[in-house]
Amino acid sequence: MTATSVHKSEVLIVGGGPTGLVLACLLAFRGVDVAVLERRTHPREYSRAIGLHPPALAVLHEIGVEATALAEGVRVHAGSAYSGGRRLGTLTFEQAWPSRPFVLTLPQNRTEQLLSHRLAQLAPGTVHSGWEVTDIVDGTESVEVTAGAGDVQSHWHTDIVIGADGPHSLVRRRSGITTRARMLKDTYLMGDFSDYSAVTSAAHRNEATAAIFLESSGVVESFPLPGQMRRWVAHTGTELTTESPLALTGLIADRTGATVDPTTSTMISAFHIRRRLALRMAIGRRVIIGDAAHEVSPIGGQGMTLGWLDAWEVAPLLTQVLVDKRSTPLQQHPGFRAFETKRIAAARATALQAELNMALGRPMPQAATVLRDAALKTVLATSMRDRLAKAFTMRKPLGGMETQIPD
């Protein structure tokens, strides 16, 4: 026999990852009655996304989490590019974001812990773990959401449903929102290792510097992490390789000369690259944000920040609709139409930039490598580097609009 329960909320967020938690904090801070349904029963164990760009830090400041994140994370003030053992140049972020001249690295599982703790302070009991949404139906005065946890069902009556439930979003699919998606040919292997094991050099030992090794056999990227750890990412061609720390450290050694101890690995992951962009983000009384609306390459680490900017921009719109008690479909609301247009354009620009990053790091003949290195060395030696810094830190993606955030 199935037990059932009935609940109400003004906003129901499906998905308790970083984007869902940020939006819940922003809404709770505004006094909105918000609930979060999360399928997982336990906190995330692994690091996954690690980069918090300046706009993401500004959002954390809005909800009172930035100071803690800054105290725990590593501030990456610059990134140096290498090829064939030579340094091509260094990109610094002072001109892009004078008030926050760095990208903060912090493992996603710790970021989620900080957000969960803050949400519990703002609105205790908001997150309901272990609940998987199975159905969404528009009612006459509210949206009805059904979720299950084993033999127990819960029915939620809510004014607005937010899909923050990732690339395979049920909210998106049940809302009839179409996407344009394609799988790119690139594959990567990434892992986290102790930084003590790397060879002693400026590229590996400077906590505030990332290193990009643009080698003819494929790029290797290296980023400092808290706790004397370092994230390594290597291009592996067009086929997924074995998720082996030894395989990754072998690629690192072959391409960069760095010695990394495979026994210190705390995470290893092989992945394909997929691009998916939703054609709309608001329909009826439903909104999709984050990876549910736009899945972009993790190369560049901008996906999580993109989702947080969705949350930051949509939170005041949701609050105002609830205050006004407007029942018209959200796609007919001028504010939501503007939000949708702006965020889809931002996602498209971010996706294109990420794919440009990938193109620069693909295996290529030696002659092409020489031309690429010469071009990049020129950019990093001139004022063009400031434009590139703005793109990498999400101030102004290549081909996109400048990001407007609270400072």
Side-chain angles (χ1 to χ4, degrees):
M1 185 174 181
T2 301
T4 62
S5 58
V6 179
H7 309 271
K8 290 185 178 182
S9 66
E10 291 182 304
V11 174
L12 180 65
I13 299 173
V14 181
T19 298
L21 291 172
V22 162
L23 179 58
C25 287
L26 289 166
L27 292 175
F29 196 77
R30 289 168 167 80
V32 173
D33 177 21
V34 59
V36 178
L37 296 183
E38 168 53 45
R39 181 173 57 184
R40 289 175 295 139
T41 56
H42 302 288
R44 198 181 307 277
E45 296 180 3
Y46 302 111
S47 53
R48 296 193 66 180
I50 60 171
L52 300 179
H53 293 74
L57 295 174
V59 174
L60 291 183
H61 179 76
E62 286 280 287
I63 59 178
V65 179
E66 184 186 23
T68 304
L70 290 176
E72 295 192 15
V74 175
R75 305 182 191 197
V76 181
H77 291 269
S80 294
Y82 298 83
S83 181
R86 298 177 299 109
R87 189 171 69 86
L88 302 178
T90 298
L91 196 66
T92 59
F93 307 135
E94 288 85 357
Q95 296 300 316
W97 297 96
S99 61
R100 295 180 178 89
F102 51 83
V103 174
L104 191 78
T105 61
L106 188 67
Q108 181 177 328
N109 55 339
R110 181 53 183 157
T111 300
E112 290 184 8
Q113 290 173 1
L114 296 180
L115 293 171
S116 295
H117 178 71
R118 181 56 174 154
L119 182 57
Q121 291 177 326
L122 293 169
T126 295
V127 178
H128 303 265
S129 300
W131 292 93
E132 183 167 4
V133 173
T134 57
D135 199 14
I136 306 171
V137 178
D138 290 331
T140 55
E141 296 182 354
S142 64
V143 184
E144 299 179 10
V145 177
T146 302
D151 293 331
V152 181
Q153 273 195 344
S154 64
H155 299 281
W156 290 81
H157 301 280
T158 185
D159 294 307
I160 299 173
V161 172
I162 305 295
D165 47 343
H168 306 293
S169 171
L170 175 74
V171 176
R172 183 188 67 231
R173 288 185 279 113
R174 291 298 177 89
S175 301
I177 296 175
T178 56
T179 65
R180 290 178 180 164
R182 65 188 180 100
M183 185 75 75
L184 282 80
K185 62 183 180 180
D186 304 83
T187 62
Y188 293 84
L189 185 61
M190 73 174 181
D192 298 343
F193 300 87
S194 169
D195 205 19
Y196 288 113
S197 60
V199 298
T200 302
S201 72
H204 305 134
R205 303 305 299 169
N206 185 350
E207 286 193 332
T209 303
I212 312 296
F213 300 89
L214 295 161
E215 306 302 329
S216 59
S217 53
V219 70
V220 174
E221 304 180 5
S222 175
F223 308 94
L225 289 171
Q228 294 294 324
M229 298 293 290
R230 186 166 280 267
R231 163 71 54 87
W232 291 87
V233 185
H235 195 289
T236 55
T238 59
E239 298 292 334
L240 287 177
T241 190
T242 304
E243 292 185 334
S244 160
L246 190 61
L248 179 52
T249 56
L251 287 174
I252 295 167
D254 290 343
R255 296 180 190 175
T256 74
T259 302
V260 179
D261 184 354
T263 66
T264 65
S265 174
T266 59
M267 182 280 296
I268 193 78
S269 176
F271 58 93
H272 273 289
I273 299 296
R274 182 171 50 220
R275 173 184 178 182
R276 185 194 302 272
L277 301 177
L279 301 185
R280 68 177 321 133
M281 294 176 67
I283 187 167
R285 306 294 287 179
R286 311 177 193 185
V287 182
I288 57 172
I289 61 174
D291 287 349
H294 29 247
E295 184 180 6
V296 301
S297 167
I299 304 304
Q302 298 181 341
M304 190 160 65
T305 298
L306 188 67
W308 288 11
L309 290 174
D310 292 344
W312 178 69
E313 296 223 17
V314 82
L317 294 174
L318 294 169
T319 305
Q320 193 59 53
V321 164
L322 293 170
V323 170
D324 294 343
K325 300 187 182 300
R326 297 183 63 159
S327 58
T328 55
L330 296 179
Q331 70 268 24
Q332 297 178 12
H333 188 290
F336 277 92
R337 289 201 301 268
F339 159 79
E340 186 177 73
T341 298
K342 182 178 179 181
R343 298 312 304 156
I344 289 176
R348 188 179 300 114
T350 301
L352 289 173
Q353 181 177 304
E355 289 169 28
L356 175 60
N357 295 343
M358 286 192 299
L360 292 173
R362 286 176 181 144
M364 59 181 65
Q366 187 61 38
T369 300
V370 171
L371 292 175
R372 179 202 59 196
D373 293 351
L376 185 56
K377 189 172 183 178
T378 298
V379 168
L380 294 176
T382 66
S383 60
M384 288 188 289
R385 65 179 177 269
D386 293 334
R387 178 68 186 90
L388 193 60
K390 288 183 178 181
F392 275 106
T393 58
M394 300 187 74
R395 183 89 203 190
K396 187 177 182 181
L398 299 175
M401 299 290 290
E402 183 161 337
T403 302
Q404 300 296 326
I405 59 169
D407 203 2

